[in-house]
Amino acid sequence: MSYCVNCGVELDRSLTKCPLCSTPVINPNDIDAEKTLPTYPVEYMQNIEKKLRFASANLVTVIFLTALVLCPFCNYVISDKLTWSRYVMPSIIFAWCCAVPPIMIRKNTFLKCVIIDFISAFIYLGAMNMLTTPNINWFVSICVPILLYLFGTFILIYSLSVKKCSVIYIISIGFALAGIFCMMTEYFLRRFRFLEMEFIWSVPVLISCIGIAVLMLIIEKLSKVSALRKRLHI
Amino acid sequence: MKQVQNWYQLDNAAKIYPAVRTKRWSGNFRLSLNFNEKVEPDILQQALDDVRKRIVNLNLELKKGLFWYFFEETDRPVIIQPEKQSPCGRIGGAHNQDMPYRVTYYNNRIAIEIFHALADGTGGLIFLKSIAARYIELKYNEKIPEFEDIILCGSEYSPEEMEDAFKRYAKFRTLKSRSELRGYHFKGTILPSDQTSVITGIIPFSKLHEKSKEYKVTVTEFIVSLMIKSFMDCQSKSNNRIEKPVKVSVPINLRKLYPSRTLRNFALYINPGIEPRYGEFTFQEITEEVHHFMRMNNKEKYLNAIMCKNLSDEFNPVVRVIPLFLKNVALFTAFKIYGETLVSSTFSNLGRVELPPEMARHIERVEFMLGRFMAGMPSAAAASYNGNLYINWTSGFCEKDVEKGFFTSLIKMGVPVKIESNLI
C-alpha cells in the first residue's frame, strides 16, 4: 500500500498520483508489483484536464477562425477587392498564436509561450512589412534588432529569476537594460530615417536608468547588513 | 406494437429535474455494488429483465405532455451497458432512449444510474438490491429470503410503491418560506458538463463513529461539519471581500417520518451551515451549530410545512395551465434562484446498507454517488457497508481543495482514509 507523502491518505494501487494534491506515487517496495485494475474503466479515464484544454483551445480557434473568414469576405463584398482585411488577417493569426499556446502548454508554460510569441511577432511584423510597404524594409532595419534585444533581455532576466537572484538585483539589471534599450531604439530610428547620428532623448533616460540601477545595487548590497535590512526591505 | 399500460404524474420533487436538464447534464445519482467475482453481463441482463417484470418504476419512460412531463409504462427493452462514460453522465439517448435510468457493469461492479425524477436514493437502493438479489439467484442458485428493501421477483405488487407520498402526507396547515441567503460557491477550472471527477474515501466506520461521538454528534452531522470547515477554509483563502454563508444541503428521508413504501421521490432538504460574518468558527462550534440545526429542523411539522410550500406551487391554478415550454423556462429560472445558488454543497448519507447473509457473502461493497452540480461545486454522498463508510466526492472542477481539506482533516484527527478516484 502507498500513502500520499503530502496528504497522508492511503492510495489505491491503481493510482499513479494522489487525486487530492497530484503528488506522484512512488513506492520503492511496490515498483515491480502488478498494478490492480483501475477503479473506473480506462476508456474515459483519459486526462480530463487535457480534454478541457483542447475544448478551450478549440473554442478560441473557432472564434478567431470566424473573424479570419468574415473579415476578407466583408471586405470583398463591400470593396470588390481585399484592402483593409489584408492587415487584419495576419493580426488575427498573430493574436491566435499568442492566445492558444498558454491554454495548451502545461510544462514551462511561461518560457515556451514567450518564445512562441517572439517567433510569431517576427513573422507577423515581417508579413506586415511586405503587405504595407514592400519598398521600405523597416522590418530588418528596426524590428529585427529591437525584437532580438527584447528577446535577449527576457532570456537574461528569466535566467536570473530561475537562479533565484534577489528581486532588487533583477530590477536594477532591468533598469539598466531599459536605458540601453531606449538608446538603441533611438539609434536604429535615426539610422532608418537617415538622420544625423546624435542621441537626444535617449541619453537622459539612459543616465536616469543607470543611476537608478546603481542605487538599487547599492541598496541590495547594504540590505545584506542585518541592521539595515529591516529599514530597506521591499 | 408498443403496449401502453399506464401513466403516472411526476411527483412534486421530480418536476424540476426534466425542466432543468440540458443536452449534456441531468440531475442523476448512482448506486453501485461490487461482487466478489467478475460480473457476467448475460446473467445481469436476465436479472434486470426479470426485475422489470415486477418493479413498475423500471418500466417507465419520460414523456412530454402539454402542461407537465409524465411517466408512461413501456415494454421497450433496457440494455445493460459496460461503463464507458463518466459516472452520472446524462441519462437518455442512444441505447435506452429516454428511460430515466441506466444499468452498467465494470469488472466486479454493477451500477444503476438514476435520473432523479424517477426515484430518490432510498428507492434507487431498493432497485439495485433487487437486481443484485435476482442476479445472485440466477448465478449462484441461492434462494434469497424475504428481506426489508428487497423486492423479490415473485412478491406481490403493492400500489403504494408508485404513490406520490408528498400529496398523501401533506397537511396544509401552514407553508414554510424558502427564502434564504445565497451560499458560498467554490470556484475553479470547470470541467466539460459531461465530465465528473470522483474521489472515493474509504473510512473505517467504527473510527469515524468514535470520532463523531467525541464531538457528541451523529456521523452525518460530523461529516457535514467537516465539509463546512473545508468550504470555510477555501473561502478564507479565496480573498472574497464579503464572506458568504457556507451551507450544506442534507436530504431527509421522509419515510422515517411517514409510513410510506413509495419507490419514488420522498425526501426533502434542510441546509445546515454557518455565517462567517459573525466571526471565525472553530470545528467544535461548527459541529454544535450543525447538530442543533439538524435537531431543530428535522421535525415532522417543519418538514411538512416545506412539503406543503412546494406542493402549493404545483397546485397553483395559474401554474398548472401554463404550457410546458413556458413552465420549463420558469422552472429553470427558479432552479437558478432557489436551487444550487443557496447552498455550497450537498451531502447525502444513505446510512448502513443491510443485506441478507445469502447476498452479503457475494457482495464486497456498496457505494452511493451524487451527480455533479450543474455549476460544478463538489458534493458528497456516503453509504456504509461491511464496516466501512464509502464517501464519494463528485465535482465538476479540476481543483480538489475542498476534498483535500476534508480528507486531510480526517487524517489529522487520526481517522485513516483510503482514496480511490477516476483521476489518473
Side-chain angles (χ1 to χ4, degrees):
Chain A
M1 63 181 80
S2 299
Y3 289 85
C4 175
V5 290
N6 195 25
C7 308
V9 294
E10 186 188 336
L11 298 167
D12 186 61
R13 286 184 66 186
S14 62
L15 294 171
T16 52
K17 64 177 182 183
C18 173
L20 301 172
C21 63
S22 301
T23 305
V25 180
I26 303 164
N27 186 343
N29 300 327
D30 215 18
I31 284 172
D32 298 327
E34 205 175 302
K35 288 275 175 198
T36 53
L37 264 176
T39 322
Y40 293 89
V42 282
E43 281 93 47
Y44 72 85
M45 276 175 61
Q46 296 143 0
N47 199 329
I48 291 170
E49 202 183 314
K50 198 174 170 185
K51 277 188 175 179
L52 183 71
R53 280 190 274 123
F54 269 107
S56 310
N58 286 342
L59 179 69
V60 173
T61 306
V62 166
I63 293 167
F64 279 104
L65 210 59
T66 313
L68 198 65
V69 173
L70 282 180
C71 284
F73 176 74
C74 295
N75 188 199
Y76 191 78
V77 166
I78 295 164
S79 316
D80 279 342
K81 60 178 180 178
L82 295 181
T83 51
W84 54 267
S85 65
R86 290 192 304 157
Y87 313 127
V88 175
M89 284 193 290
S91 308
I92 292 170
I93 295 167
F94 174 63
W96 182 87
C97 291
C98 295
V100 171
I103 302 170
M104 293 300 293
I105 298 168
R106 268 295 151 264
K107 285 181 183 170
N108 293 327
T109 313
F110 182 65
L111 181 65
K112 285 178 184 170
C113 287
V114 171
I115 291 170
I116 291 170
D117 289 350
F118 269 111
I119 294 167
S120 318
F122 269 109
I123 297 167
Y124 168 64
L125 291 169
M128 288 303 275
N129 188 11
M130 279 168 60
L131 287 169
T132 53
T133 48
N135 304 327
I136 308 163
N137 200 350
W138 51 262
F139 173 67
V140 175
S141 309
I142 302 174
C143 294
V144 171
I146 287 178
L147 277 174
L148 282 175
Y149 180 83
L150 286 175
F151 184 65
T153 306
F154 165 75
I155 295 292
L156 179 66
I157 290 183
Y158 183 79
S159 54
L160 288 175
S161 63
V162 168
K163 282 181 186 171
K164 305 234 183 292
C165 292
S166 79
V167 179
I168 303 177
Y169 182 72
I170 294 172
I171 292 172
S172 67
I173 297 289
F175 266 105
L177 290 171
I180 296 167
F181 174 73
C182 291
M183 201 162 182
M184 197 188 83
T185 309
E186 189 175 16
Y187 169 76
F188 284 111
L189 282 173
R190 296 187 82 84
R191 201 181 73 161
F192 176 68
R193 294 169 69 188
F194 302 108
L195 296 174
E196 197 181 333
M197 197 52 68
E198 57 178 352
F199 297 100
I200 299 167
W201 59 268
S202 64
V203 172
V205 178
L206 177 70
I207 292 168
S208 309
C209 285
I210 297 289
I212 293 169
V214 170
L215 190 68
M216 291 190 90
L217 279 174
I218 293 166
I219 290 171
E220 203 261 335
K221 294 286 174 200
L222 285 175
S223 66
K224 284 179 181 164
V225 180
S226 62
L228 289 172
R229 193 179 295 163
K230 65 178 176 183
R231 298 274 177 205
L232 298 173
H233 78 273
I234 293 180
Chain B
M1 194 181 153
K2 194 171 71 175
Q3 284 186 343
V4 178
Q5 294 151 32
N6 214 334
W7 70 277
Y8 301 89
Q9 285 185 33
L10 266 65
D11 60 66
N12 181 255
K15 284 204 158 67
I16 189 89
Y17 291 104
V20 299
R21 74 173 174 172
T22 64
K23 281 184 180 172
R24 300 179 81 186
W25 180 89
S26 57
N28 305 337
F29 63 91
R30 165 180 157 129
L31 286 144
S32 63
L33 52 82
N34 287 34
F35 288 100
N36 297 330
E37 294 175 11
K38 200 168 180 178
V39 172
E40 290 187 30
D42 295 343
I43 301 176
L44 179 61
Q45 182 66 62
Q46 183 61 49
L48 177 63
D49 293 344
D50 292 350
V51 170
R52 283 186 71 203
K53 287 174 193 158
R54 167 62 185 80
I55 299 179
V56 178
N57 300 57
L58 297 178
N59 298 310
L60 299 180
E61 192 177 19
L62 190 67
K63 295 270 184 182
K64 270 183 183 177
L66 183 61
F67 298 106
W68 295 105
Y69 284 94
F70 63 93
F71 280 126
E72 188 177 61
E73 280 191 41
T74 177
D75 52 5
R76 178 187 291 169
V78 174
I79 313 295
I80 59 159
Q81 304 159 37
E83 263 184 44
K84 271 185 183 165
Q85 55 172 314
S86 198
C88 296
R90 191 192 188 281
I91 290 175
H95 286 295
N96 291 333
Q97 300 299 316
D98 219 4
M99 295 301 281
Y101 71 96
R102 156 170 69 221
V103 177
T104 61
Y105 61 93
Y106 170 67
N107 200 24
N108 292 9
R109 178 174 62 214
I110 62 169
I112 183 165
E113 295 184 357
I114 298 170
F115 184 38
H116 224 316
L118 181 69
D120 58 10
T122 311
L125 185 63
I126 295 172
F127 302 156
L128 182 70
K129 279 180 176 180
S130 306
I131 294 167
R134 184 64 187 148
Y135 178 85
I136 290 166
E137 277 182 344
L138 291 170
K139 189 172 180 190
Y140 302 101
N141 277 326
E142 291 260 20
K143 179 73 189 149
I144 308 295
E146 293 273 334
F147 195 81
E148 194 188 1
D149 290 349
I150 295 176
I151 297 174
L152 298 173
C153 287
S155 61
E156 203 175 319
Y157 169 72
S158 159
E160 254 192 90
E161 290 171 18
M162 285 305 295
E163 74 170 354
D164 185 345
F166 289 113
K167 284 181 186 156
R168 182 176 169 189
Y169 292 104
K171 291 174 183 162
F172 285 101
R173 283 174 192 272
T174 185
L175 310 179
K176 196 173 177 190
S177 167
R178 274 191 293 256
S179 66
E180 276 187 58
L181 287 174
R182 289 185 171 204
Y184 160 70
H185 282 189
F186 177 75
K187 295 269 188 280
T189 316
I190 191 96
L191 293 168
S193 55
D194 59 345
Q195 293 285 354
T196 304
S197 79
V198 181
I199 297 180
T200 309
I202 305 167
I203 306 163
F205 185 80
S206 55
K207 298 254 183 188
L208 194 65
H209 188 248
E210 202 178 292
K211 192 50 73 178
S212 53
K213 284 286 158 216
E214 272 180 35
Y215 288 91
K216 297 182 181 131
V217 292
T218 64
V219 170
T220 302
E221 288 162 2
F222 181 74
I223 292 174
V224 170
S225 308
L226 265 181
M227 286 175 76
I228 290 171
K229 182 182 176 292
S230 185
F231 276 100
M232 280 288 298
D233 292 343
C234 288
Q235 180 165 226
S236 55
K237 280 180 204 159
S238 68
N239 299 325
N240 284 355
R241 274 179 53 233
I242 301 168
E243 291 199 318
K244 290 183 178 172
V246 174
K247 292 182 282 180
V248 174
S249 183
V250 182
I252 304 292
N253 181 12
L254 296 175
R255 291 171 189 83
K256 289 181 178 167
L257 301 171
Y258 303 102
S260 175
R261 288 174 57 201
T262 184
L263 298 179
R264 300 169 72 185
N265 284 296
F266 197 37
L268 284 174
Y269 293 85
I270 57 172
N271 306 332
I274 56 159
E275 262 280 12
R277 282 179 290 188
Y278 291 114
E280 215 167 281
F281 284 75
T282 62
F283 183 64
Q284 177 71 48
E285 286 169 333
I286 297 172
T287 54
E288 283 166 13
E289 288 278 323
V290 171
H291 174 74
H292 293 300
F293 184 93
M294 298 279 278
R295 293 295 150 107
M296 175 77 188
N297 289 275
N298 189 0
K299 289 201 171 97
E300 190 270 330
K301 288 181 179 59
Y302 297 142
L303 291 169
N304 202 289
I306 298 173
M307 197 195 302
C308 295
K309 171 68 183 162
N310 295 344
L311 280 168
S312 70
D313 296 337
E314 184 189 329
F315 290 157
N316 186 321
V318 179
V319 173
R320 290 168 96 156
V321 297
I322 295 172
L324 184 64
F325 71 95
L326 287 176
K327 222 174 256 165
N328 282 345
V329 176
L331 282 170
F332 194 85
T333 313
F335 180 74
K336 287 281 176 190
I337 297 167
Y338 294 113
E340 294 185 347
T341 53
L342 297 183
V343 293
S344 312
S345 182
T346 297
F347 174 65
S348 184
N349 189 359
L350 213 53
R352 200 166 66 180
V353 178
E354 305 268 12
L355 291 172
E358 291 82 357
M359 286 178 75
R361 62 171 157 261
H362 300 289
I363 293 170
E364 279 180 348
R365 65 195 260 186
V366 181
E367 281 181 70
F368 180 35
M369 187 187 293
L370 297 176
R372 63 174 270 189
F373 271 68
M374 192 186 269
M377 294 99 76
S379 58
S384 314
Y385 178 72
N386 214 5
N388 283 326
L389 182 125
Y390 298 90
I391 182 162
N392 276 301
W393 276 90
T394 42
S395 165
F397 290 122
C398 295
E399 291 79 5
K400 297 284 160 264
D401 301 24
V402 178
E403 293 91 327
K404 187 182 171 189
F406 177 85
F407 287 121
T408 48
S409 298
L410 279 172
I411 296 286
K412 281 175 194 166
M413 289 176 183
V415 180
V417 181
K418 185 182 177 185
I419 295 288
E420 293 176 354
S421 176
N422 68 341
L423 305 168
I424 48 171

